[in-house]
């Protein structure tokens, strides 16, 4: 016994050789390890190198799959084996050349099924992809095992069902994995499974003495599940000949162990968004050590990143056509954060931050992993410039304001999905999609009836009478509607996440969290700019109502000659309405207790669903036509931010982060132009523009540097643009995989002249 | 809406509402007066062409020239603009001031012709300077005699359009005399006021080598002229002429060829100008 402990200690010491000691050795504390050992880098990108022959060989093997998938869609599904850590044997792309190994199933591009989320989604997805559902799976999940989806619908009320059907509360994770949970996958590399189990045993021992309230019993069960998941993960790794019971001993193992942990997560859960977290600068510590020891050269270092990213580009889940309409292009948000600053004032930019971004050059642009630059005014200038160059060449980066988030979440947070910050291993969110605020406004005007179906969805209330909309009257009615909506929304979310924890618990991801974590419940709103512009039109214009034969207000005519302020022009008259909406809806949500006492948060984010929400929403008082898409995320409506990007981004920067802590998404498309500046000046001016926008309080920036003509050409000739990547609200997407409507929506958005 | 109601959305012109039908004709210049109110056409933010750094460009209405290739014919008459208080303009500008300072930019008043509304622009420029912004105007210089030295004190830069060096060509293109512009240029040179000279290259109209040579020789000795900017003619303003049912001379005018641009660049360079 003593001998084996001694061996373990020696092994640990060997794996941790040459690392600066600290708290991280005594407790599970990855952040402490990073801060003590990271090598900040403030130089430029000149050290970067291309891909190795091995990387190119693996990449070449994958190309036919990509091509076939573009033509056929889903290539293969294992319909028989519900996915989990041990459901599939090891799989390879090109075993001799893969430096980093591990696939979701035993074959690349073979998707797995996750019936614990809901059998209906699985079977619909299979049928849509041309595959037969498996009778045994069907029997198991109808006769013997209840799913998350079954549970939620047992708890839903008729009112919630109505809201869902009317598309006022939409995209709820009630039939699939909720996602947006980031396991701290780095823990597996730094500590190994044995040490992590030991920590979990200690967490368990602490609550064995506590009286078994609901929460304690649940916590005990969860910890037991988590320990089982860790064991299974070690077993899964063994199939790939990796002994992850111990810590990683070199850079290759560190990347491999971290990836295996992530792989485990995507074998266990099919969450909408499955971020990898913030691995670049953590793994850089191992790479630096190997470089010092002469065990690795720059080509070898880049190879690790290229091959990790290859794996992150072929994650696939089986979805349904409905789901694809909401979130187009098969996204999974393997979001990775690069950059940012430490609380000690040092930058967290390392050479590996560059290497990670450089994969976009070595492998070509791609939507995944969702590369997120944590921008701070204090980032090294050369890194800022490099990011902008990469953006210009690939349109594959998003930027988020580290200076804004750091005071909230410290210096070791990751981004779940698009814009949701969470401290790694210490925080999770209950994901909640979004409500359609524009529709809510129309309900307020129509006494709770749906403007399309005519059905009474919200509780009956007095509709707006008379011929014209009166601002105070509409605001009062809208407030009442929002209060009802907020209550119904929290209600639905509590049902969903109770059942998700019960029937589709993410045991591995939570095994890579502390037991006592901060939980947030992340609500969302869509159509902010439509509502702000509508209210401004009512306040500053003269809006006549057009009613149909059902007595429903179905159209609006502005009879005023006076100019009506529109969101996106740095005009406080309307910007304050938008900011006020964010705050007031947030406060309405806060009134209602949440499942597990989660902290209420909110996002202004639509992803590509702004098209679907728009489709389901009638004419609005701002002049938007029925069916017309909303502005994505917090964006102004298309074409209305008519005074250039400066005015547009300053409007968005006014939306208060304190009342939208789950993120505020803003997408900007600029055409590549030169002005009278040299290339270096142009890049440096763009960096200053970022500093200015984030300094003004901006939270997020999706940057596309591309012209309309290219996009139009890509619509007509998709084969010419297999890798054309653009950023849409909160994520990047392969342009040619968008639906035609979404492509048109992207093209119709405001393009600004120059950065 | 206005006679420009068919303008495409998505440009600064989109906001052209509330035009001022009672405004005086451009023939009668408003008095110096108080300048508490004036006629503004539109504005845009985030320009990188109209002065150093990032600019807010305020387009005023009212111009005495009738350049045959003008791409803003919708700013000729004062009444094409919106009657607006200087304070409103200044308040709006203030919303951009921190961003403009951070981006080493400022305000450029264009038009129209800024000097048509002296008191109004004087107020706005003074306010811009108080906000710590770089301040510029873009002008034909035709009304240069109207401004006193104090007016020029609030200007960090003058973007001076010299359409031609030949009085006849100038009159043919603009409908006005060349002299006042040259006088103004010389006055700015004597003061050492920074100037970017702008020359619009219109094939068949202003591209005559002698015409270009004349401008180059006139400008070259002026040490205050930091740049000569050659602006190749484009058809982007053509739709406005059509919308306004004006006779447009340049329907068939081509945009300058790279060779022509190169030749004009060389002419300026050979004369000793910094050209771009």
């Amino acid at each position: 016994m003593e001998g084996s402990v001694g061996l373990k200690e020696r092994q640990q010491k060997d794996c941790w050789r040459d690392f600066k000691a600290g708290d991280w050795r005594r407790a599970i504390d990855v952040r402490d390890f990073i801060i003590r050992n990271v090598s900040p880098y403030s130089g430029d990108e000149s050290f970067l190198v291309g891909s190795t022959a091995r990387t190119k060989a693996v990449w070449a093997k994958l190309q036919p799959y990509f091509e076939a998938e573009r033509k056929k869609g889903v290539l293969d599904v294992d319909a028989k084996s519900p996915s989990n850590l041990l459901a599939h044997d090891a799989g390879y792309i090109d075993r001799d050349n893969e430096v980093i190994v591990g696939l979701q199933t035993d074959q690349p591009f073979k998707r797995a099924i996750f019936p614990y989320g809901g059998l209906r989604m699985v079977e619909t997805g299979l049928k849509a992809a041309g595959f037969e559902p498996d009778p045994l799976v069907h029997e198991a999940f109808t006769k013997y095992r209840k799913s998350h989806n079954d549970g939620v619908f047992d708890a839903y009320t008729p009112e919630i069902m109505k809201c869902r059907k009317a598309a006022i509360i939409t995209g709820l994770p009630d039939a699939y994995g909720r996602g947006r949970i980031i396991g701290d996958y780095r823990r597996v590399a730094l500590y190994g499974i044995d040490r992590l189990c030991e920590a979990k045993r200690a967490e368990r021992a602490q609550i064995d003495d506590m009286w078994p309230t609901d929460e304690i019993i649940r916590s005990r069960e969860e910890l037991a599940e988590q320990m089982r998941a860790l064991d299974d993960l070690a077993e899964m790794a063994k199939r790939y000949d990796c002994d992850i019971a111990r810590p990683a001993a070199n850079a290759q193992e560190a990347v491999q162990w971290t990836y295996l942990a992530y792989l485990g997560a995507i074998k266990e859960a099919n969450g909408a968004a499955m971020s990898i977290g913030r691995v670049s600068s953590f793994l850089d510590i191992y790479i630096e050590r190997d470089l010092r020891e002469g065990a690795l050269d720059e080509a070898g270092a880049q190879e690790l990143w290229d091959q990790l990213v290859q794996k992150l580009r072929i994650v696939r889940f089986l979805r349904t056509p409905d789901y694809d309409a909401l979130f187009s292009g098969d996204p999974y948000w393997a979001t990775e954060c690069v950059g940012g600053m430490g609380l000690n004032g040092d930058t967290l930019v390392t050479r590996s931050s560059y290497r990670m971004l450089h994969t976009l050059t070595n492998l070509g642009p791609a939507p995944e992993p969702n590369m997120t630059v944590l921008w701070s005014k204090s980032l090294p200038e050369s890194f800022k410039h490099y990011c902008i160059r990469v953006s210009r060449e690939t349109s594959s980066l998003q930027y988020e304001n580290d200076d804004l988030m750091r005071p909230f979440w410290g210096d070791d947070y990751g981004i779940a999905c698009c814009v949701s910050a969470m401290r790694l291993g210490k925080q999770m969110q209950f994901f909640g999609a979004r409500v359609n605020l524009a529709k809510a406004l129309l309900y307020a005007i129509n006494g709770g009836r749906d403007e399309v179906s005519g059905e009474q969805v919200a509780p009956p209330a007095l509709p707006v009478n008379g011929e014209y909309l009166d601002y105070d009257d509409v605001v009062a009615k809208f407030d009442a509607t929002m209060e009802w909506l907020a209550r119904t929304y929290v209600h639905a979310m509590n049902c969903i996440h109770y059942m998700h924890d019960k029937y589709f618990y993410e045991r591995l991801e939570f095994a890579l969290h502390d037991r006592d974590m901060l939980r947030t419940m992340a609500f969302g709103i869509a159509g902010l700019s439509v509502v702000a512009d509508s209210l401004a039109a009512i306040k500053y214009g003269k809006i006549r109502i057009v009613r149909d034969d059902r007595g429903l207000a179905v159209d609006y005519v502005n009879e005023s000659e006076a100019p009506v302020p529109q969101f996106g022009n740095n005009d406080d008259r309307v910007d304050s309405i938008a900011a006020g909406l964010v705050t007031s809806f947030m406060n309405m949500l806060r009134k209602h207790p949440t499942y597990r006492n989660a902290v209420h948060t909110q996002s202004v984010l639509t992803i590509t669903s702004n098209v679907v929400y728009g489709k389901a929403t009638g004419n609005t008082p701002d002049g938007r036509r029925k069916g017309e898409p909303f502005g994505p995320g917090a964006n102004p409506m298309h074409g209305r931010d008519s005074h250039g990007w400066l005015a547009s981004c300053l409007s968005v920067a006014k939306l208060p982060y304190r009342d939208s802590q789950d993120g505020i998404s803003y997408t900007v498309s600029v055409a590549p132009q030169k002005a009278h500046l040299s290339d270096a000046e142009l890049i440096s001016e763009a960096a200053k523009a970022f500093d200015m926008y984030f300094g003004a309080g901006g939270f997020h920036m999706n940057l596309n540097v591309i012209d309309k003509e290219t996009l139009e050409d890509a619509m007509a000739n998709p084969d010419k643009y297999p890798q054309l990547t653009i950023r849409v609200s909160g994520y990047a997407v392969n342009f040619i995989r968008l639906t035609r409507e979404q492509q048109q929506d992207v093209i119709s958005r405001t393009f600004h002249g120059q950065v | 809406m206005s006679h420009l109601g068919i303008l495409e959305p998505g440009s600064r012109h989109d906001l052209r509402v509330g035009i001022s039908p009672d405004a005086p004709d451009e023939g009668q210049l408003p008095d110096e007066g108080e300048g508490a109110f004036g006629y503004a056409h539109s504005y845009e933010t985030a320009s990188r062409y109209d002065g150093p750094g990032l600019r807010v460009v305020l387009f005023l209405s009212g111009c005495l020239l009738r350049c045959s290739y003008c791409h803003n014919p919708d700013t000729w008459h004062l009444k094409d603009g919106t009657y607006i208080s200087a304070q409103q303009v200044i308040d709006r500008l203030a919303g951009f001031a921190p961003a403009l300072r951070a981006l080493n930019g400022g305000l450029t008043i264009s038009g129209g012709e800024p000097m048509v509304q002296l008191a109004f622009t004087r107020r706005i420029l003074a306010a811009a300077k108080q906000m710590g912004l770089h301040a510029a105007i873009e002008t034909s210089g035709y009304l240069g005699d109207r401004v006193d030295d104090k007016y020029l004190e609030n200007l960090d830069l003058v973007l001076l359009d010299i359409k031609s060096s030949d009085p006849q060509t100038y009159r043919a293109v603009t409908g006005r005399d060349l002299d006042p512009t040259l006088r103004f240029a010389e006055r700015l040179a004597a003061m050492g006021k920074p100037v970017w000279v702008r020359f619009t290259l219109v094939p068949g109209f202003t591209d005559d080598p002698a015409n270009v040579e004349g401008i180059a020789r006139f400008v070259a000795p002026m040490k205050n002229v930091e740049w000569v900017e050659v602006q190749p003619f484009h058809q982007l303003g053509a739709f406005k002429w059509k919308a306004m049912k004006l006779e447009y001379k340049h329907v068939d005018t081509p945009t300058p060829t790279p060779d022509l641009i190169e030749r004009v660049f060389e002419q300026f360079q050979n004369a000793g100008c910094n050209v771009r």
Side-chain angles (χ1 to χ4, degrees), chain A residues 439-631:
Chain A
K439 206 177 234 315
L441 176 65
L442 300 180
Y443 281 16
I445 294 169
N446 280 318
R449 289 168 71 196
D450 190 272
E451 77 286 355
V452 181
S453 68
E455 227 178 286
Q456 186 78 46
V457 178
L462 206 60
V464 170
N465 286 316
E467 212 183 336
Y468 293 92
L469 292 173
D470 170 77
Y471 182 71
D472 292 335
D473 176 45
V474 171
V475 165
K477 289 183 160 65
F478 185 40
D479 274 351
T481 307
M482 284 200 296
E483 290 280 13
W484 158 79
L485 185 61
R487 186 173 190 280
T488 314
Y489 192 11
V490 181
H491 183 159
M493 285 276 280
N494 285 350
C495 299
I496 291 167
H497 291 285
Y498 178 99
M499 295 300 175
H500 204 295
D501 274 354
K502 192 168 174 184
Y503 294 109
F504 199 11
Y505 179 70
E506 298 88 340
R507 55 187 193 134
L508 178 64
E509 287 168 87
F510 287 117
L512 301 173
H513 277 76
D514 297 352
R515 181 195 62 207
D516 300 326
M517 69 190 97
L518 174 67
R519 293 183 178 86
T520 63
M521 191 170 273
F523 302 90
I525 52 175
L528 179 65
S529 54
V530 174
V531 178
D533 285 357
S534 292
L535 291 175
I538 297 167
K539 189 168 180 182
Y540 296 99
K542 191 174 184 206
I543 309 292
R544 184 166 56 78
I545 304 170
V546 179
R547 293 192 173 84
D548 69 1
D549 49 15
R550 297 172 295 178
L552 283 175
V554 290
D555 203 0
Y556 305 89
V557 181
N558 186 0
E559 292 185 349
S560 160
E561 286 280 308
V564 169
Q566 293 177 316
F567 184 66
N569 296 296
N570 195 25
D571 185 335
D572 267 332
R573 289 174 300 167
V574 55
D575 296 353
S576 61
I577 293 177
L581 280 166
V582 169
T583 299
S584 60
F585 193 64
M586 187 70 240
N587 285 334
M588 291 172 188
L589 291 164
R590 284 174 174 138
K591 288 181 189 170
H592 309 290
T594 54
Y595 170 63
R596 295 187 97 165
N597 285 321
V599 175
H600 306 73
T601 61
Q602 171 176 250
S603 66
V604 189
L605 167 80
T606 58
I607 316 181
T608 46
S609 62
N610 61 307
V611 177
V612 174
Y613 293 113
K615 226 182 202 175
T617 307
N619 295 321
T620 38
D622 59 331
R624 183 195 137 276
R625 307 314 298 156
K626 178 180 174 180
E628 199 182 317
F630 296 168

Side-chain angles (χ1 to χ4, degrees), chain A residues 122-394:
Chain A
V122 171
E123 296 191 335
T124 314
L126 280 168
K127 280 179 199 151
F131 294 86
E132 278 306 308
D134 182 70
L136 277 178
V137 172
H138 185 88
E139 189 183 352
F141 283 87
T142 45
K143 263 193 181 162
Y144 309 116
R145 183 58 161 86
K146 191 170 173 178
S147 73
H148 159 57
N149 179 243
D150 299 329
V152 176
F153 281 78
D154 282 351
Y156 267 176
T157 61
E159 186 176 48
I160 296 171
M161 296 299 291
K162 246 192 212 173
C163 287
R164 237 176 140 261
K165 192 170 160 234
I168 187 161
I169 306 180
T170 52
L172 292 170
D174 53 16
Y176 61 96
R178 58 190 165 191
R180 294 243 195 135
I181 293 164
I182 314 175
D184 188 356
Y185 306 113
R186 307 165 304 179
R187 289 183 181 187
V188 174
L190 181 58
Y191 295 107
I193 295 295
D194 286 351
R195 175 73 184 81
L196 293 177
C197 277
E198 190 187 312
K200 283 291 164 195
R201 278 195 295 274
E203 283 184 348
R204 172 61 196 258
Q206 287 163 4
I207 58 169
D208 276 350
D209 284 344
M210 293 183 185
W211 186 251
T213 59
D214 282 6
E215 185 60 41
I216 293 297
I217 296 169
R218 180 166 43 201
S219 197
R220 283 185 201 160
E221 188 189 13
E222 287 177 353
L223 285 167
E225 284 291 322
Q226 292 170 19
M227 286 186 267
R228 246 172 253 135
L230 288 173
D231 286 342
D232 285 357
L233 181 66
E235 185 59 34
M236 180 200 94
K238 250 185 217 159
R239 295 182 182 176
Y240 287 99
D241 303 318
C242 297
D243 176 18
I244 65 169
R246 62 164 174 83
N250 57 38
Q252 183 274 332
E253 284 187 1
V255 177
Q256 180 68 72
W257 276 208
T258 304
Y259 171 64
L260 284 172
Y262 175 75
L263 180 65
I266 57 176
K267 278 170 179 274
E268 284 273 311
N270 65 341
M274 299 295 285
S275 296
I276 187 159
R278 191 166 179 171
V279 301
S280 331
S281 292
F282 164 77
L283 292 171
D284 188 73
I285 296 168
Y286 287 84
I287 290 175
E288 284 291 322
R289 188 177 66 178
D290 279 14
L291 290 169
R292 280 198 302 278
E293 291 175 350
L296 198 67
D297 58 11
E298 184 54 38
Q302 186 63 47
E303 183 177 61
L304 294 173
W305 289 109
D306 288 348
Q307 295 223 359
L308 172 65
V309 165
Q310 286 176 339
K311 291 292 185 295
L312 297 179
R313 286 189 184 186
I314 59 167
V315 176
R316 292 292 182 273
F317 293 112
L318 182 67
R319 307 293 192 193
T320 62
D322 278 355
Y323 182 98
D324 290 337
L326 275 183
F327 309 127
S328 227
D330 239 340
Y332 40 91
W333 291 278
T335 307
E336 158 65 5
C337 295
V338 294
M341 299 296 294
L343 290 170
N344 59 7
D346 281 343
T347 183
L348 292 170
V349 172
T350 60
R351 278 192 171 81
S352 290
S353 312
Y354 282 82
R355 293 183 187 113
M356 182 54 129
L357 299 184
H358 190 52
T359 61
L360 289 165
T361 305
N362 280 353
L363 305 175
E368 302 277 3
N370 183 15
M371 302 268 197
T372 304
V373 175
L374 302 178
W375 189 276
S376 160
K377 207 177 166 86
S378 316
L379 284 180
E381 288 301 316
S382 47
F383 184 67
K384 292 180 186 173
H385 295 179
Y386 179 62
C387 292
I388 289 165
R389 281 202 187 90
V390 173
S391 264
R392 187 172 59 177
E393 278 151 31
T394 68

Side-chain angles (χ1 to χ4, degrees), chain A residues 561 563 566 569-571 573 639 642-647 650 673-677 685-686 688-689 692 754-755, chain B residues 1 10-12 14-15 17-18 43-49 53-54 56 92 95-96 99-100 102-104 229 276:
Chain A
E561 286 280 308
Q566 293 177 316
N569 296 296
N570 195 25
D571 185 335
R573 289 174 300 167
S642 53
H643 289 99
W645 64 258
L646 180 63
L650 288 175
Q673 280 188 35
K674 277 262 143 128
H676 286 306
L677 299 172
E685 288 300 314
K688 275 190 225 155
M692 178 280 299
Q754 325 125 309
V755 180
Chain B
M1 290 269 275
S11 76
R12 63 190 167 84
D14 196 38
L15 278 222
V17 279
Y43 69 95
E44 66 182 19
T45 68
S47 163
R48 285 204 183 275
Y49 290 98
L54 199 77
V56 163
R92 184 53 61 89
F96 294 102
L100 295 173
L103 297 171
N104 308 319
E229 298 186 331
R276 63 184 182 186

Side-chain angles (χ1 to χ4, degrees), chain B residues 136-137 139 152 155-160 184 188 193-196:
Chain B
I137 58 167
T139 174
L152 295 173
L155 282 177
D156 298 298
L157 174 70
V158 175
L159 306 176
L160 182 62
F184 187 55
L188 294 172
K193 180 67 63 184
V195 165
W196 294 0

Side-chain angles (χ1 to χ4, degrees), chain A residues 1-11:
Chain A
M1 184 75 194
E2 219 184 278
S4 96
V5 169
L7 178 69
K8 230 178 234 172
E9 269 174 8
R10 272 206 307 283
Q11 213 173 35

